[in-house]
Amino acid sequence: MTPRHPLTPGRAGAASAALALVLASAATGSPVSAAGGEGADVPRGTVAYRPVAQFGTAGRPRDLLLHPDSKKLYVGSDDLPETADVNESGLHVLDPADGKVRSTVGQAPGPTGSLGRRAVRQLLAPLPGDGAVFFYPLRGIGTAKDGDAAAAGAWVPGAAVTHAAAGLTPSTVLVAQGSVLSEVEIATAAVKRSVTLEGGDGFAVDAARGAVWFTDVGNRRMHRIDAATFTVTATVELPAGDGFAGFTEVDPGTGAVWVGLDTSVVVHDATGKRLGIIKGGADMPRAASFDATTHETFVVWQDAGDTSQPGSDNNGALTVHRTRDLQEAVKPVVLPGMHTQSGSAAVAVEPGGAVVLVSDPVAGKITRLERATSPRVTGNPSDQAVTAGTRVSLTAEAEGTPRPTVAWQVSTDAGRTWRAVEGATSPVHTFTAALSDNGRRYRAEFVNDAGTVHSTAATLTVTITDTTTGGTGGPGDTGGAGSTGSTGPTGSTGSTTGGADGGPDGGPDGGSAGTGGAAGTPGTVGGGSAGATVGATVGGGTNATATGGALASTGVAVASLAGSAVVLTAAGWVLMRRARQRTDS
């Protein structure tokens, strides 16, 4: 049972309410986004973590280890009291993707060497290729790998082991028995050397720099032990407080020492100089892990589990911090029901930070969280100018993890407000442009668990279709009546040719046929003149063939026909004059 202490509300508690919305969004598949305006985009490269699965297949998990070679998830567990028919204590090997149990190693040697069901409290180091070195109560140091029927193990002499960690060499581990720190052989648990301190709780090993950092929370101190001489070479004062220890971990990359203390994390560099303090509000830091690729530290915070205390909401959180400046790299993620009443949580991080696994000893669950990166627009829609009735296609593209969803939006007020286009949820939005769409702006909204971004807006210009094809032809000239032929001795019948009809678009019908001259006496030539046949066309209208007449012209003045008629008439008058002269003579 964790001791009670006064709690004060702080950042972690305040973050819970905001993050509850994010988690609810992830659960329902309906990401939250701001409405209206051109803004509301998250900064480029925003990262978030989202819970994607929970595994309840490994009893009450106490520690986690992602094997660097086999990629298997090793889980050290106690038995769950509510499953009285099954003892789930032991070393479980899971598939980290879906939590499927590959095997369970439940048997390990006791102090006399006899096998028995053993709980596994700490996972100390991976074995080459596969398997793990672990600590099991009260003084056992064991080794096992996937598929083993039982673990190998030996018992450390002396008092009960209170904390253990990887050793300074592959064949050793370090164990704390209260304030005594010892280096022991893995295979035999034989003690190689020891150092006794004033007091102590937990420690961490900086193998790269040959140091061990041992915390003594009761005296608010941290001691640096030289790995070569196994002596204390420095002592660092810790901030005053209530005296509750969470964890001591060393960042392998920088050598910085992270100490979970009360409701804060105190960070010192490799020399012991204090770098800063991360405040956790009402929650208490209980586990930390480092990722060398992203240079980030992952911290699990647990609630005290007493909702009668101010600031206690029964929920914990996962925070992620940049190792260079301790600032948050990711918004905190709420871990519902995560409290300390049944033990401390554990955390394991896949290299690169794509996957984080957090154990919850209260619920007997392991939560898998995956890294999400905000969408980045890689293609924007372009402005378009079309005529009404034309099909329009707008295209926008974005990338992100997980793959972002897309929804098109339209603005009718130059981008001041936006509304969703019903059913437009693919990268290509196609529709038929109407005149009412003129001036509208369209953009794509991309959403995933890390945030929302928008494409640039494209403006649509819509005009009326031009349906004109030409003007109407002018009226045709009416043909004149034919002249009556004069009488002659041998005159022929006068011409009776009327004007040709104009086409439908060239104007009204041509003039009526001329009246032919009467039959003359022999020797008289008829003098009837042909009616005019010219129908003028104006504006390019197409004339059809007139009934009973000649083809009307198409867009061209038929002056040549009129000229021919004049020539024929003149020739007729010349013949008539010659005939009269012969008669008179």
Side-chain angles (χ1 to χ4, degrees), residues 335-350:
L335 301 173
M338 178 71 76
H339 58 75
T340 62
Q341 295 300 309
S342 295
S344 295
V347 59
V349 181
E350 183 180 278

Side-chain angles (χ1 to χ4, degrees), residues 379-382 384 393-397 408 426-430 444 446 455 458:
N380 289 294
S382 302
Q384 295 197 31
S393 289
L394 301 172
T395 302
E397 297 177 341
W408 285 88
S426 66
V428 180
H429 175 37
T430 303
F446 295 97
S455 71

Side-chain angles (χ1 to χ4, degrees), residues 205-219:
V205 179
D206 184 3
R209 296 160 188 83
V212 179
W213 291 93
F214 199 103
T215 55
D216 179 2
V217 177
N219 293 309

Side-chain angles (χ1 to χ4, degrees), residues 68-421:
D69 300 326
S70 68
K71 312 305 180 185
K72 299 169 185 175
L73 175 63
Y74 280 80
V75 183
S77 296
D78 284 337
D79 184 36
L80 277 171
E82 52 265 37
T83 57
D85 56 329
V86 178
N87 189 333
E88 297 158 308
S89 298
L91 181 68
H92 300 270
V93 186
L94 308 184
D95 184 332
D98 57 13
K100 182 178 179 181
V101 179
R102 298 177 58 92
S103 66
T104 297
V105 183
Q107 301 288 314
T112 62
S114 60
L115 292 176
R117 193 82 189 196
R118 313 293 179 186
V120 174
R121 295 292 176 83
Q122 283 184 267
L123 297 171
L124 309 183
L127 291 173
D130 191 27
V133 182
F134 57 91
F135 158 64
Y136 59 98
L138 293 170
R139 294 177 282 117
I141 302 299
T143 59
K145 64 180 183 298
D146 182 16
D148 285 349
W155 281 59
V156 180
V161 173
T162 54
H163 189 76
L168 298 165
T169 65
S171 63
T172 64
V173 295
L174 295 173
V175 299
Q177 294 165 293
S179 60
V180 178
L181 177 68
S182 300
E183 182 180 31
V184 304
E185 291 285 349
I186 293 175
T188 64
V191 177
K192 296 184 63 176
R193 50 185 175 163
S194 297
V195 59
T196 301
L197 302 119
E198 296 176 1
D201 301 272
F203 63 90
V205 179
D206 184 3
R209 296 160 188 83
V212 179
W213 291 93
F214 199 103
T215 55
D216 179 2
V217 177
N219 293 309
R220 313 302 285 188
R221 295 173 181 172
M222 181 169 62
H223 305 287
R224 183 186 186 277
I225 300 168
D226 181 70
T229 63
F230 229 58
T231 59
V232 175
T233 58
T235 298
V236 177
E237 296 297 322
L238 296 173
D242 295 328
F244 300 104
F247 62 82
T248 301
E249 298 286 355
V250 171
D251 178 2
T254 65
V257 188
W258 292 57
V259 180
L261 196 65
D262 303 324
T263 58
S264 302
V265 177
V266 184
V267 184
H268 295 79
D269 69 11
T271 67
K273 177 184 177 181
R274 185 180 299 175
L275 298 175
I277 298 177
I278 300 170
K279 297 290 186 179
D283 293 339
M284 297 176 290
R286 287 304 193 209
S289 185
F290 305 92
D291 179 50
T293 303
T294 61
H295 305 290
E296 293 172 343
T297 306
F298 297 76
V299 181
V300 178
W301 305 76
Q302 290 178 266
D303 189 79
D306 185 355
T307 55
S308 66
Q309 297 290 334
S312 178
D313 59 4
N314 213 41
N315 297 327
L318 171 71
T319 59
V320 185
H321 307 268
R322 296 191 297 263
T323 56
R324 69 175 184 273
D325 57 13
L326 312 186
Q327 296 300 307
E328 284 186 349
V330 177
K331 288 183 178 180
V333 181
V334 173
L335 301 173
M338 178 71 76
H339 58 75
T340 62
Q341 295 300 309
S342 295
S344 295
V347 59
V349 181
E350 183 180 278
V355 174
V356 179
L357 296 145
V358 178
S359 68
D360 182 353
V362 177
K365 304 284 187 182
I366 299 170
T367 299
R368 177 185 170 96
L369 301 101
E370 293 182 357
R371 190 180 185 98
T373 57
S374 61
R376 182 177 70 87
V377 176
T378 58
N380 289 294
S382 302
D383 294 345
Q384 295 197 31
V386 299
T387 56
T390 301
R391 293 290 285 174
V392 175
S393 289
L394 301 172
T395 302
E397 297 177 341
E399 61 185 14
T401 305
R403 184 179 180 86
T405 61
V406 59
W408 285 88
Q409 297 177 331
V410 63
S411 175
T412 58
D413 54 9
R416 288 187 291 275
T417 60
W418 296 86
R419 62 176 176 82
V421 179

